[in-house]
Amino acid sequence: MARRRVREIDVVIETLDTDGLGSATYEDRDVRVRNALPGESVHARVLKRRRGIWYAQADTPEVGALDRQAPPPCAFFPRCGGCALQHLAYDVQLKHKEGRLLRVLEQAGVRPQKVRLPVAGPRLHYRYKARLGCRLLGSELLVGFREAFSSRVSRMDSCQTLALPFARNLPLLQEALAGLEQPHLVPQVELAAGDTEFAYVVRHLQPLTEADRARLLCFARNSGGRLYLQPEGYDSVHPLDPDDGSDYLAYSNLDFGLRYQFRPTDFTQVNPYMNRSLVRNAVLALDPPAGANVADLFCGIGNFSLPLARLGARVHGYEAASASIERAQLNTSLNGLTNQAQFQVVDLYHAEGGTLPEVEFLLLDPPRSGAGPNLRQWAAWPRLERIAYVSCSPDTFAEDARVLQQLGFELVEVGIYDMFPHTAHVETLGVFQRRG
Ligand SMILES: C[S@@+](CC[C@H](N)C(=O)[O-])C[C@H]1O[C@@H](n2cnc3c(N)ncnc32)[C@H](O)[C@@H]1O
């Protein structure tokens, strides 16, 4: 079959969009260009067409914008889709993310009383959780992030954003998977690290041979990591070597004298450096007096609940994932806080009125879809004074902020936390106080 010729275009970039792509117009058509900044004239190849928009990747221009970071920290940018903004100077990345948040708040009619300076931490090797795809290409096995605008796996033998143990061991992992008798049975590997230990979760579509299990065990020993197998869903994840010791990884929050245990497939925050700042500032902003009641909604394994309990609040944590609630209960007990915190599995988007106790303080940390339809009901609790809202989506945050404003809450402080440097992801902490 004849290969479709890749279309090449020359465009001038007008703005940077919310995904970190340069927006331009080519023959009256909307074009979004990777590796392109406002003001730049770029030569680009069109890689995808969707709903009338062309998506293209630019060659690095000879004369770049003043804000261009050249060369980018990673040699595999822009082809690897793991990052979107490596070509933009870091301080401008922060301005871009903050600008996006303030714009959507303004569109929603919400004016914050105070905007905190962006909070940032290490820019490289911050990803303590990741999912890598695997793809057999002839006799070569690729293991990496997906390419931009494609489901193909990137050819990469290093990564500047993965946590150091994963970055250092990437070639070893690639070699081990390529050496399997049946490498095509492994579509992905998940990575999860705690403070001192790190783990690989190898998904396999059919039972592995003894020889392949032995190869993976050998990789685990050489890399210093733990290896888990995943034959089906997350419930099927188990250590390859049953004598591997504990099933858990662990991280500490020294600000509050806490230690958390978790399984590699539990939800934990990707960037531990930013997580510590976020937890500290959210908890200090909520500032419940000892004995006050706090609801931690979308609580995961108790990342925010336990610091609040440590300060003397009575914490009620709710979350849909039963495995996370089990871990929250385990961590409460390990940290000696069973009198201060209790947890329950609840689908917060569909919970009936009256399921949750009416509290004075609320911590919200929902997924991208936002707090959901019950936000109005929670905001109507008469004793509710203050809300700390942690968000991974500026759009739903702004929409929820509009609802809270209508229901009598003021956005007293807002700011971004750069959880994912070099990507377009925006993490926000907003603090709402009841008016009057
Ligand atoms: C952004 S994470 C926050 C987790 C936790 N606060 C932390 O810092 O680790 C969002 C959490 O919402 C949970 N979740 C998703 N949909 C939910 C729902 N409908 N009801 C309750 N929890 C839900 C997810 O399982 C996940 O743990």
Side-chain angles (χ1 to χ4, degrees):
M1 200 169 64
R3 261 193 156 193
R4 193 170 173 186
R5 221 181 106 246
V6 173
R7 179 137 194 182
E8 304 203 2
I9 56 177
D10 291 295
V11 285
V12 178
I13 305 299
E14 288 150 28
T15 54
L16 196 60
D17 79 359
T18 51
D19 296 320
L21 302 173
S23 298
T25 308
Y26 179 79
E27 294 178 352
D28 292 333
R29 183 182 298 278
D30 268 354
V31 186
R32 302 289 150 76
V33 191
R34 222 170 130 70
N35 188 31
L37 295 175
E40 290 181 340
S41 299
V42 294
H43 181 73
R45 270 154 292 116
V46 178
L47 299 180
K48 187 173 109 175
R49 296 166 168 85
R50 191 155 172 248
R51 296 205 188 110
I53 301 177
W54 285 4
Y55 293 86
Q57 188 156 291
D59 296 338
T60 298
E62 268 174 34
V63 183
L66 283 178
D67 294 337
R68 181 169 277 273
Q69 171 69 48
C74 174
F76 300 99
F77 182 83
R79 190 151 186 180
C80 168
C83 293
L85 292 173
Q86 292 229 357
H87 59 313
L88 184 60
Y90 188 65
D91 57 330
V92 191
Q93 289 185 26
L94 295 178
K95 274 196 206 129
H96 175 68
K97 293 182 187 189
E98 185 185 70
R100 175 176 174 205
L101 172 68
L102 298 182
R103 229 173 9 259
V104 287
L105 282 173
E106 195 182 332
Q107 283 159 6
V110 177
R111 184 171 297 167
Q113 281 181 5
K114 177 178 162 192
V115 179
R116 269 185 89 108
L117 284 176
V119 180
R123 300 168 198 182
L124 301 178
H125 301 301
Y126 61 81
R127 278 186 203 237
Y128 277 54
K129 291 208 87 174
R131 178 180 294 164
L132 302 180
C134 306
R135 174 179 165 225
L136 199 57
L137 204 65
S139 60
E140 187 186 14
L141 185 80
L142 304 181
V143 181
F145 289 111
R146 304 279 161 191
E147 284 184 359
F149 308 138
S150 152
S151 58
R152 285 198 296 254
V153 174
S154 299
R155 180 176 276 108
M156 52 190 270
D157 59 13
S158 69
C159 175
Q160 299 294 318
T161 61
L162 286 178
L164 276 173
F166 298 126
R168 288 193 181 123
N169 285 306
L170 186 58
L172 208 58
L173 173 67
Q174 290 166 332
E175 198 184 304
L177 294 176
L180 297 180
E181 286 175 340
Q182 300 173 297
H184 59 282
L185 294 183
V186 177
Q188 70 175 44
V189 180
E190 291 195 49
L191 317 176
D195 289 344
T196 55
E197 292 185 283
F198 58 101
Y200 298 86
V201 181
V202 176
R203 173 85 175 97
H204 57 97
L205 302 174
Q206 284 175 34
L208 296 174
T209 61
E210 274 313 308
D212 281 351
R213 293 170 68 90
R215 281 189 185 94
L216 289 175
L217 202 54
C218 182
F219 160 71
R221 303 240 158 96
N222 287 340
S223 68
R226 297 218 203 128
L227 209 135
Y228 294 77
L229 295 178
Q230 185 191 347
E232 287 171 17
Y234 272 174
D235 287 350
S236 72
V237 172
H238 60 278
L240 168 60
D241 178 1
D243 302 329
D244 213 1
S246 161
D247 251 6
Y248 296 108
L249 298 166
Y251 72 89
S252 302
N253 187 333
L254 298 180
D255 290 341
F256 297 94
L258 294 167
R259 185 174 152 82
Y260 295 81
Q261 292 197 345
F262 66 99
R263 294 234 166 99
T265 48
D266 291 337
F267 178 94
T268 48
Q269 302 280 352
V270 164
N271 180 332
Y273 311 100
M274 276 297 94
N275 183 48
R276 279 194 284 276
S277 305
L278 187 59
V279 170
R280 186 187 316 123
N281 290 347
V283 167
L284 294 183
L286 205 56
D287 195 24
N293 288 291
V294 183
D296 179 3
L297 306 188
F298 309 93
C299 67
I301 68 166
N303 187 41
F304 292 94
S305 326
L306 298 192
L308 288 160
R310 185 63 100 212
L311 293 185
R314 299 163 64 84
V315 183
H316 312 261
Y318 300 94
E319 154 71 51
S322 55
S324 294
I325 290 294
E326 273 174 37
R327 237 67 77 211
Q329 284 162 339
L330 169 72
N331 288 318
T332 303
S333 152
L334 290 175
N335 288 286
L337 289 166
T338 38
N339 291 335
Q340 295 294 130
Q342 55 188 45
F343 297 90
Q344 200 181 319
V345 178
V346 172
D347 177 346
L348 291 163
Y349 290 157
H350 298 103
E352 302 277 320
T355 310
L356 309 188
E358 298 190 4
V359 296
E360 302 94 89
F361 298 88
L362 191 57
L363 194 135
L364 287 169
D365 183 13
R368 297 187 69 77
S369 36
N374 283 325
L375 180 63
R376 288 176 181 278
Q377 179 198 314
W378 304 327
W381 292 337
R383 285 186 301 150
L384 183 63
E385 279 177 40
R386 200 153 45 241
I387 303 171
Y389 188 140
V390 176
S391 158
C392 53
S393 160
D395 295 332
T396 52
F397 176 76
E399 181 49 30
D400 287 341
R402 192 181 61 77
V403 170
L404 288 172
Q405 184 171 271
Q406 275 174 0
L407 296 173
F409 286 84
E410 198 81 55
L411 179 55
V412 289
E413 189 180 307
V414 76
I416 63 157
Y417 287 71
D418 203 20
M419 274 280 180
F420 292 80
H422 309 300
T423 74
H425 179 105
V426 182
E427 188 85 10
T428 301
L429 169 63
V431 183
F432 297 85
Q433 177 78 38
R434 194 185 283 284
R435 270 194 291 272

